[in-house]
Amino acid sequence: MIDHIEEAPIVAQRPQPDVAEQQQYAEATAISLERLIDRLKNDSEFSKSLAEHPKSTLGEAGIVLHKEGMEFLMEFHPERFDRLSAELFEMMDPSFIACMDEPSCSVGNK
């Protein structure tokens, strides 16, 4: 007979999306980055607002970026990620790009 059973602590974890969902998330992230790049190229007021208020500007523009989506984009479409990143780095200060990713700016809802 067992006198004492130790139980492992229960840790709540977010369920992992299946591969199809990961690919959709990667595509949505790529589209958000493409929209961001387009706005930066064509809308000087958006660029100014983004520099001053990144969280609210991205949210108002409906541009949602999450770390998880970036990771899926890198995994499924590394060339596309590299191309989009290079375009952003040419237009923006690299330290600002890090600020756009959740949780640092908390852009969008999961």
Side-chain angles (χ1 to χ4, degrees):
M1 183 168 184
I2 300 175
D3 292 335
H4 177 39
I5 299 176
E6 288 188 34
E7 292 185 29
I10 297 173
V11 178
Q13 293 183 359
R14 187 174 177 195
Q16 276 292 55
D18 65 26
V19 173
E21 291 172 325
Q22 291 174 8
Q23 289 175 330
Q24 288 175 341
Y25 204 4
E27 181 64 22
T29 299
I31 290 169
S32 289
L33 287 172
E34 289 164 348
R35 289 180 55 215
L36 174 60
I37 290 166
D38 184 62
R39 289 291 299 269
L40 288 169
K41 286 180 180 177
N42 298 305
D43 186 343
S44 60
E45 289 300 315
F46 176 81
S47 298
K48 181 180 176 185
S49 180
L50 186 64
E52 294 172 1
H53 309 285
K55 179 181 173 182
S56 60
T57 301
L58 289 173
E60 289 169 10
I63 298 173
V64 179
L65 300 169
H66 298 288
K67 180 180 178 184
E68 188 176 49
M70 294 287 198
E71 290 170 352
F72 293 144
L73 180 58
M74 286 186 279
E75 179 181 345
F76 292 107
H77 306 288
E79 298 85 13
R80 190 175 184 188
F81 174 82
D82 289 344
R83 179 181 51 80
L84 293 170
S85 296
E87 285 187 63
L88 276 175
F89 277 104
E90 288 175 14
M91 292 187 277
M92 300 172 64
D93 177 355
S95 62
F96 177 76
I97 293 172
C99 154
M100 294 188 309
D101 187 19
E102 262 201 348
S104 55
C105 281
S106 300
V107 177
N109 298 319
K110 287 190 178 187

